[in-house]
PDB file of all heavy atoms in Angstrom:
ATOM      1  N   GLU N 878     111.138  81.703  95.709  1.00 91.00           N
ATOM      2  CA  GLU N 878     111.855  82.473  96.725  1.00 91.00           C
ATOM      3  C   GLU N 878     110.942  82.763  97.920  1.00 91.00           C
ATOM      4  O   GLU N 878     111.384  82.729  99.062  1.00 91.00           O
ATOM      5  CB  GLU N 878     112.374  83.787  96.136  1.00 91.00           C
ATOM      6  CG  GLU N 878     113.463  83.599  95.095  1.00 91.00           C
ATOM      7  CD  GLU N 878     112.920  83.198  93.718  1.00 91.00           C
ATOM      8  OE1 GLU N 878     111.717  83.414  93.423  1.00 91.00           O
ATOM      9  OE2 GLU N 878     113.707  82.635  92.949  1.00 91.00           O
ATOM     10  N   ALA N 879     109.676  83.033  97.650  1.00 92.00           N
ATOM     11  CA  ALA N 879     108.725  83.300  98.730  1.00 92.00           C
ATOM     12  C   ALA N 879     108.494  82.044  99.572  1.00 92.00           C
ATOM     13  O   ALA N 879     108.384  82.120 100.791  1.00 92.00           O
ATOM     14  CB  ALA N 879     107.403  83.816  98.165  1.00 92.00           C
ATOM     15  N   VAL N 880     108.438  80.883  98.913  1.00 92.00           N
ATOM     16  CA  VAL N 880     108.274  79.618  99.635  1.00 92.00           C
ATOM     17  C   VAL N 880     109.477  79.371 100.535  1.00 92.00           C
ATOM     18  O   VAL N 880     109.327  79.058 101.716  1.00 92.00           O
ATOM     19  CB  VAL N 880     108.055  78.441  98.662  1.00 92.00           C
ATOM     20  CG1 VAL N 880     108.116  77.107  99.395  1.00 92.00           C
ATOM     21  CG2 VAL N 880     106.736  78.595  97.920  1.00 92.00           C
ATOM     22  N   ARG N 881     110.669  79.528  99.985  1.00 92.00           N
ATOM     23  CA  ARG N 881     111.891  79.339 100.785  1.00 92.00           C
ATOM     24  C   ARG N 881     111.914  80.292 101.976  1.00 92.00           C
ATOM     25  O   ARG N 881     112.254  79.907 103.092  1.00 92.00           O
ATOM     26  CB  ARG N 881     113.126  79.544  99.914  1.00 92.00           C
ATOM     27  CG  ARG N 881     113.379  78.417  98.966  1.00 92.00           C
ATOM     28  CD  ARG N 881     114.707  78.637  98.206  1.00 92.00           C
ATOM     29  NE  ARG N 881     114.867  77.638  97.195  1.00 92.00           N
ATOM     30  CZ  ARG N 881     114.491  77.777  95.915  1.00 92.00           C
ATOM     31  NH1 ARG N 881     113.948  78.898  95.497  1.00 92.00           N
ATOM     32  NH2 ARG N 881     114.681  76.797  95.055  1.00 92.00           N
ATOM     33  N   ALA N 882     111.567  81.557 101.736  1.00 94.00           N
ATOM     34  CA  ALA N 882     111.578  82.561 102.799  1.00 94.00           C
ATOM     35  C   ALA N 882     110.558  82.223 103.883  1.00 94.00           C
ATOM     36  O   ALA N 882     110.852  82.357 105.070  1.00 94.00           O
ATOM     37  CB  ALA N 882     111.306  83.948 102.218  1.00 94.00           C
ATOM     38  N   ALA N 883     109.377  81.776 103.505  1.00 95.00           N
ATOM     39  CA  ALA N 883     108.340  81.443 104.486  1.00 95.00           C
ATOM     40  C   ALA N 883     108.772  80.265 105.356  1.00 95.00           C
ATOM     41  O   ALA N 883     108.560  80.278 106.577  1.00 95.00           O
ATOM     42  CB  ALA N 883     107.027  81.126 103.783  1.00 95.00           C
ATOM     43  N   VAL N 884     109.385  79.266 104.752  1.00 93.00           N
ATOM     44  CA  VAL N 884     109.869  78.112 105.515  1.00 93.00           C
ATOM     45  C   VAL N 884     110.958  78.564 106.495  1.00 93.00           C
ATOM     46  O   VAL N 884     110.960  78.180 107.666  1.00 93.00           O
ATOM     47  CB  VAL N 884     110.379  76.999 104.578  1.00 93.00           C
ATOM     48  CG1 VAL N 884     111.103  75.903 105.356  1.00 93.00           C
ATOM     49  CG2 VAL N 884     109.231  76.410 103.776  1.00 93.00           C
ATOM     50  N   SER N 885     111.847  79.412 106.028  1.00 93.00           N
ATOM     51  CA  SER N 885     112.916  79.933 106.879  1.00 93.00           C
ATOM     52  C   SER N 885     112.349  80.776 108.025  1.00 93.00           C
ATOM     53  O   SER N 885     112.784  80.636 109.178  1.00 93.00           O
ATOM     54  CB  SER N 885     113.882  80.764 106.041  1.00 93.00           C
ATOM     55  OG  SER N 885     114.901  81.301 106.837  1.00 93.00           O
ATOM     56  N   GLU N 886     111.360  81.625 107.720  1.00 94.00           N
ATOM     57  CA  GLU N 886     110.735  82.456 108.748  1.00 94.00           C
ATOM     58  C   GLU N 886     110.032  81.614 109.809  1.00 94.00           C
ATOM     59  O   GLU N 886     109.926  82.028 110.964  1.00 94.00           O
ATOM     60  CB  GLU N 886     109.730  83.415 108.115  1.00 94.00           C
ATOM     61  CG  GLU N 886     110.380  84.547 107.353  1.00 94.00           C
ATOM     62  CD  GLU N 886     109.357  85.409 106.614  1.00 94.00           C
ATOM     63  OE1 GLU N 886     108.155  85.329 106.940  1.00 94.00           O
ATOM     64  OE2 GLU N 886     109.776  86.145 105.712  1.00 94.00           O
ATOM     65  N   ALA N 887     109.564  80.439 109.411  1.00 93.00           N
ATOM     66  CA  ALA N 887     108.919  79.539 110.370  1.00 93.00           C
ATOM     67  C   ALA N 887     109.952  78.820 111.241  1.00 93.00           C
ATOM     68  O   ALA N 887     109.594  78.131 112.186  1.00 93.00           O
ATOM     69  CB  ALA N 887     108.043  78.518 109.639  1.00 93.00           C
ATOM     70  N   GLY N 888     111.232  78.971 110.888  1.00 92.00           N
ATOM     71  CA  GLY N 888     112.297  78.388 111.700  1.00 92.00           C
ATOM     72  C   GLY N 888     112.844  77.068 111.204  1.00 92.00           C
ATOM     73  O   GLY N 888     113.472  76.334 111.959  1.00 92.00           O
ATOM     74  N   TYR N 889     112.623  76.785 109.921  1.00 90.00           N
ATOM     75  CA  TYR N 889     113.056  75.494 109.367  1.00 90.00           C
ATOM     76  C   TYR N 889     113.934  75.688 108.145  1.00 90.00           C
ATOM     77  O   TYR N 889     113.914  76.732 107.511  1.00 90.00           O
ATOM     78  CB  TYR N 889     111.830  74.626 109.010  1.00 90.00           C
ATOM     79  CG  TYR N 889     111.019  74.336 110.241  1.00 90.00           C
ATOM     80  CD1 TYR N 889     109.969  75.143 110.611  1.00 90.00           C
ATOM     81  CD2 TYR N 889     111.382  73.284 111.080  1.00 90.00           C
ATOM     82  CE1 TYR N 889     109.262  74.908 111.777  1.00 90.00           C
ATOM     83  CE2 TYR N 889     110.683  73.046 112.247  1.00 90.00           C
ATOM     84  CZ  TYR N 889     109.629  73.853 112.589  1.00 90.00           C
ATOM     85  OH  TYR N 889     108.945  73.620 113.751  1.00 90.00           O
TER      86      TYR N 889
END
Side-chain angles (χ1 to χ4, degrees):
E878 293 79 20
V880 171
R881 286 185 187 93
V884 170
S885 179
E886 287 174 17
Y889 298 92

